[in-house]
Amino acid sequence: MTKPQTTRKKRANGVESRQRILDAAVEIAGERGYEGTSIAAVSAACGLPASSIYWHFKDKDDLIAAVIERSFDTWLAAFELPGEETGTPLERVTAVAGNVAKSLVDAPDFLRLGLMLALERRPVEPRGRTVFLQVRDIASAKIAEMAETLVPGLDKESVRILTAYAVAGADGLFVQREINGDALDLVTMFELHAQLVFEAATRMATRGEA
Amino acid sequence: MTKPQTTRKKRANGVESRQRILDAAVEIAGERGYEGTSIAAVSAACGLPASSIYWHFKDKDDLIAAVIERSFDTWLAAFELPGEETGTPLERVTAVAGNVAKSLVDAPDFLRLGLMLALERRPVEPRGRTVFLQVRDIASAKIAEMAETLVPGLDKESVRILTAYAVAGADGLFVQREINGDALDLVTMFELHAQLVFEAATRMATRGEA
Amino acid sequence: MTKPQTTRKKRANGVESRQRILDAAVEIAGERGYEGTSIAAVSAACGLPASSIYWHFKDKDDLIAAVIERSFDTWLAAFELPGEETGTPLERVTAVAGNVAKSLVDAPDFLRLGLMLALERRPVEPRGRTVFLQVRDIASAKIAEMAETLVPGLDKESVRILTAYAVAGADGLFVQREINGDALDLVTMFELHAQLVFEAATRMATRGEA
Amino acid sequence: MTKPQTTRKKRANGVESRQRILDAAVEIAGERGYEGTSIAAVSAACGLPASSIYWHFKDKDDLIAAVIERSFDTWLAAFELPGEETGTPLERVTAVAGNVAKSLVDAPDFLRLGLMLALERRPVEPRGRTVFLQVRDIASAKIAEMAETLVPGLDKESVRILTAYAVAGADGLFVQREINGDALDLVTMFELHAQLVFEAATRMATRGEA
DNA sequence: TATGAATGAGACTTCATTCAT
DNA sequence: AATGAATGAAGTCTCATTCAT
């Protein structure tokens, strides 16, 4: 009665183990990149033996890809244009920019890893890289849609350029924060960015009309 | 002709060997990053045995740092404000932006490696990272100086924000090119960036005066 | 017969592997010392790949320390004063000396390695050295205890000197045998040593009383 | 006139370079043993490039042997029986023991290295080991001679045993000092050692006569 | 649902040594 | 009388991965 079955607590819980592995992996991979993330390090960080990691994930590539995938939805949410909100277009753009800024602060591991993967050119492309670039494309599409919605009259090419510029600015500001820490207020910078992009868009739309 | 076939096999030539090693290293490290750059790979690429690399460089860290250092001056030249040139401030800013864009296209290995190093958070910071960040600070200072010269009346804080934004944009556009290749014209994007930053600067200066 | 040919190739058996590694290591390290013991040599001698050695031992230092530790108890047994035995104190001391002599002949690897480690002054002290010196201190304590038991009336300082002298003689005789082989009968030498130390002890005790 | 020939100080001085190399080698080899002494370490310690070491010495073995050889005479002097000195035999023996004790304190590197070489059993015996054992044999012969001179009537076998015991004690006391430092006064211990050996010798001689 | 043990490949680095100058 | 440069071999250790249990 006092000790019914010896094993009680340790009833193998696959889901929890998987989470622990991913938690460890996201942290390490976010700091050290693909090559720098060794299975042994993940094992040490999550407390499970290396062989257990291979029970949950096919191989290292699969693990890294899963890390990217798991952060996917959470992060992408920041790019939603809040439906039917009041305010001028500029105000709405600025609000989204603030959300994005906050998302970068909240999910830095995900993005740092993603950017590292994106920059690397290794012989066989890691699946995680592909996944990250897809997420990026989705984010870009949302930005493009936002531009078309809030600044009517933009031609395709202008949208393409503005979207690219908007994404580049976001990337660059994220990099800056990773390097300089909190020396600069990210939200302020993003609002400046949003404003400049919005003005450029407006001008392009006007010019297109003329 | 002057020296017929005096030295047949290996003439010890330290300077040339060092260059060959650096040439190989810059290419590999620029593509694969710090961890991805194995001494064996560099050895294979430059034709010298691994142990010879250690004659020229204390260790891998030293090699990577040397790679960064060597690209330093070349790359930094792009940031000079062409002295006493004709044209409006905007035209001059735009010209510099074009130069920078070209420098990014010309020295992508240096920058890709640097950015990767900058993003990584490894337990012991590679010396190459430190060096790269120093180069970056110098570039930032030049941009700040340029802003103060071409747009008088900017207060310190505005200069700081504008400089940060300018650098971030450059980083982001570089990342974009690395990911998307030539889908977007980098020079065009940089000119747009320069223009937007210039307008923001002008506005800030005017507001400060008022 | 009971288990016909169930396990064909490699049945994972950690305990046995560990022993095999230690067996190989004790022999090599006992002959060649710390630096002279390469993991590759141990690997060749025990049949397991080098990487398997690292499964069982953190690093080379850990392996050497384990070698010392394993021989510990076996060897220390020789120093027990046989309880309540008949005979004069001198006879009893001589008997112990004989045991010690035999132990030196039986466990020469352990002691040779230990002495080599003890003599070396490397920048970071190997753990094996620490362990060996601890074993030595225990042996010294037993000798001191023996002296106090068999030769009453010795003051602290005399015990200290006699113990040191007894240990030194044992070390020296061991070294001699390692160098000259069996040219000299170790048991005879140890009995002489025991006798001389005993006489010196008796004299010191008497002098102290007077 | 002011700067006659550019190179003046650095006129290659073979003898001095050789000394510098040996000075560095004796220290390192005395601390780390044969395998632990790398040419690179000696090079760093003496300031000359590795290739210069090979100009002065055929190979590493030759260098270590030279280290042993250089300390040879200095050290051996301690074993001279001071000719025709006054005092009882015991007093004279004690005086020599004191000299030997001092010599161990003065030339510890030489002896530590020698003992390490003596203990190691490597596939090809280093020449330094051979040389050291020869020095040892000479020292033994001197001790034997001393015994025969100061304690007449000893038979060959007794001399052999006593000499061996005397040397063993010396080795052991040296080892002790290396391990425990100055916790014990070496001269005192050596005097005790000399006295005990002398008494044993006297007794053996008397017994032989009877 | 795990995991202890094993393993070949390859990582970085040092080794003793040579050779042309 | 040296030395800058090179080099194959070997050093310690980590890697991603597998497999029997």
Side-chain angles (χ1 to χ4, degrees), chain D residues 32-178:
Chain D
R32 318 252 254 267
Y34 190 93
E35 298 261 13
T37 302
S38 76
I39 299 294
V42 175
S43 161
C46 74
L48 294 169
S51 48
S52 295
I53 296 177
Y54 278 85
W55 193 90
H56 289 280
F57 303 93
K58 189 176 135 321
D59 56 20
K60 178 173 161 176
D61 207 55
D62 193 36
L63 171 61
I64 303 283
V67 163
I68 297 275
E69 268 158 0
R70 194 181 64 159
S71 313
F72 184 92
D73 303 308
T74 329
W75 181 74
L76 215 57
F79 284 92
E80 277 336 310
L81 217 197
E84 285 315 307
E85 223 170 294
T86 53
T88 67
L90 176 55
E91 281 165 2
R92 297 182 67 191
V93 165
T94 309
V96 172
N99 286 343
V100 173
K102 274 174 232 137
S103 81
L104 300 191
V105 175
D106 289 349
D109 289 334
F110 166 59
L111 281 152
R112 210 182 310 126
L113 171 57
L115 272 183
M116 282 190 269
L117 287 174
L119 284 172
E120 280 176 23
R121 297 226 196 299
R122 66 184 60 241
V124 326
E125 159 150 344
R127 194 155 68 83
R129 186 180 196 261
T130 316
V131 173
F132 179 72
L133 295 188
Q134 283 166 359
V135 178
R136 236 166 172 274
D137 284 343
I138 294 176
S140 288
K142 294 205 174 189
I143 291 175
E145 189 196 322
M146 214 182 304
E148 284 168 335
T149 305
L150 297 182
V151 186
L154 283 170
D155 62 84
K156 287 264 175 221
E157 180 62 10
S158 297
V159 169
R160 211 170 70 96
I161 290 177
L162 286 167
T163 303
Y165 185 75
V167 171
D171 283 338
L173 290 172
F174 173 74
V175 168
Q176 194 148 83
R177 199 194 102 100
E178 290 303 308

Side-chain angles (χ1 to χ4, degrees), chain C residues 26-34 36-37 104 107-120 132 136 170-181, chain D residues 33-35 68 110-126 128-130 132-133 136 168 171-172 174-176 178-179:
Chain C
V26 79
E27 192 169 344
I28 296 173
E31 287 189 346
R32 312 253 253 270
Y34 191 95
T37 302
L104 299 191
D109 288 335
F110 166 58
L111 282 152
R112 205 179 318 125
L113 172 56
L115 273 183
M116 283 189 271
L117 287 174
L119 284 172
E120 280 175 23
F132 179 73
R136 239 168 170 272
D171 283 337
L173 290 172
F174 174 74
V175 167
Q176 194 149 83
R177 198 193 102 99
E178 291 303 309
I179 293 176
N180 294 333
Chain D
Y34 190 93
E35 298 261 13
I68 297 275
F110 166 59
L111 281 152
R112 210 182 310 126
L113 171 57
L115 272 183
M116 282 190 269
L117 287 174
L119 284 172
E120 280 176 23
R121 297 226 196 299
R122 66 184 60 241
V124 326
E125 159 150 344
R129 186 180 196 261
T130 316
F132 179 72
L133 295 188
R136 236 166 172 274
D171 283 338
F174 173 74
V175 168
Q176 194 148 83
E178 290 303 308
I179 293 175

Side-chain angles (χ1 to χ4, degrees), chain A residues 119, chain B residues 22-23 25-31 33 64-79 103-118 128-139 171 174 178:
Chain A
L119 284 172
Chain B
L22 283 174
D23 288 343
V26 79
E27 191 168 344
I28 297 173
E31 287 189 347
I64 302 285
V67 163
I68 298 273
E69 268 159 1
R70 196 182 60 159
S71 313
F72 182 91
D73 302 310
T74 327
W75 179 75
L76 217 55
F79 282 92
S103 83
L104 299 191
V105 175
D106 289 348
D109 289 335
F110 166 59
L111 282 152
R112 202 177 322 122
L113 172 57
L115 272 183
M116 283 190 268
L117 287 174
R129 185 179 197 264
T130 315
V131 173
F132 179 72
L133 296 188
Q134 285 166 356
V135 177
R136 245 172 164 267
D137 284 343
I138 295 177
D171 284 336
F174 173 74
E178 291 304 309

Side-chain angles (χ1 to χ4, degrees), chain C residues 10 17 49 51 56:
Chain C
K10 291 278 158 68
S17 293
S51 49
H56 293 279

